[in-house]
Amino acid sequence: MSNLRTTGRTALVAVRAVLVFTVLLGILYPLAVTGIGQLAFPAQANGSVVTVEGKAVGSALIGQAFTAEDGTPLPQYFQSRPSASGQDGYDAMASGGSNLGPSNPDLLAQIRQRRAAIAAFEHVDPSLIPPDALTASASGLDPQISPEYALLQVRRVADARGLTDATVHALVESRIQGRDLGFLGEPRVNVLELNLALDRLSSSEEG
């Protein structure tokens, strides 16, 4: 009988502990973190959504394609890094890389194909194309490219927009983000933000 009472008390304590921790960690803690995020970092907490005239056009944290309906790159826009995320790339629901090793023949074939396509599109020597233009990132969602890849695209974008190379070059330079805290990561350019700035620049030039 004593053992039965002990077992009953132990079970009751366990049930109470589960209920308490469920409320604390399953309800109160998430609500507190969400509230702090909304108060201190509202843009980041809501996905760093980028809007134009009140309409969402993307996220500063997720890359996207700047292509026509048939998948061909639009010459008037800077192009993003290749993506292996999802069937058409840049799929936030299927984030991931190709998982192909550096000596995998399929990966090597993709790199050769991308190098030839970019060289023809940009009218540059294939040896000038930086690595991030040829390989997809581990997430497939990188919103940034290297300054080298952005500057490689300046002449093509300028010609398509009727702008001078110097004007577009200066725009790219103004959009280069340095290393975090001065030493973490690499310099980079957010492609969506650069293209939006490019649209504003073109509108001001036309005006």
Side-chain angles (χ1 to χ4, degrees):
M1 193 69 176
S2 176
N3 289 339
L4 185 60
R5 289 198 188 96
T6 301
T7 301
R9 285 196 297 270
T10 301
L12 185 59
V13 170
V15 170
R16 288 176 176 173
V18 169
L19 292 175
V20 169
F21 283 109
T22 297
V23 172
L24 287 176
L25 302 179
I27 299 175
L28 297 181
Y29 177 74
L31 286 175
V33 171
T34 300
I36 292 172
Q38 291 292 338
L39 289 174
F41 309 101
Q44 293 87 338
N46 290 300
S48 297
V49 176
V50 179
T51 60
V52 175
E53 297 180 353
K55 180 181 178 181
V57 295
S59 169
L61 302 178
I62 298 178
Q64 61 180 273
F66 293 90
T67 56
E69 292 183 1
D70 61 358
T72 57
L74 295 170
Q76 68 270 34
Y77 285 109
F78 286 89
Q79 297 299 306
S80 303
R81 186 174 184 178
S83 172
S85 175
Q87 183 176 356
D88 299 318
Y90 312 103
D91 184 354
M93 300 297 291
S95 176
S98 66
N99 293 326
L100 300 177
S103 61
N104 187 288
D106 291 336
L107 177 62
L108 296 177
Q110 290 177 9
I111 290 175
R112 287 194 296 269
Q113 182 181 15
R114 288 168 180 161
R115 180 180 285 116
I118 293 173
F121 189 54
E122 305 293 351
H123 301 289
V124 297
D125 188 287
S127 64
L128 298 176
I129 300 172
D132 66 303
L134 304 174
T135 57
S137 67
S139 69
L141 303 177
D142 279 14
Q144 300 107 352
I145 57 176
S146 66
E148 292 79 14
Y149 187 28
L151 292 171
L152 183 76
Q153 303 180 57
V154 163
R155 176 167 296 179
R156 182 252 305 160
V157 171
D159 289 344
R161 295 266 181 170
L163 300 170
T164 65
D165 289 4
T167 298
V168 180
H169 189 284
L171 181 66
V172 172
E173 291 283 355
S174 71
R175 290 285 162 173
I176 295 176
Q177 303 169 10
R179 293 179 173 86
D180 294 333
L181 302 179
F183 65 95
L184 294 176
E186 295 294 330
R188 59 209 180 274
V189 180
N190 187 292
V191 181
L192 173 60
E193 294 177 351
L194 175 60
N195 281 332
L196 291 176
L198 183 63
D199 281 342
R200 292 192 295 270
L201 176 63
S202 295
S203 296
S204 65
E205 291 284 333
E206 291 174 359

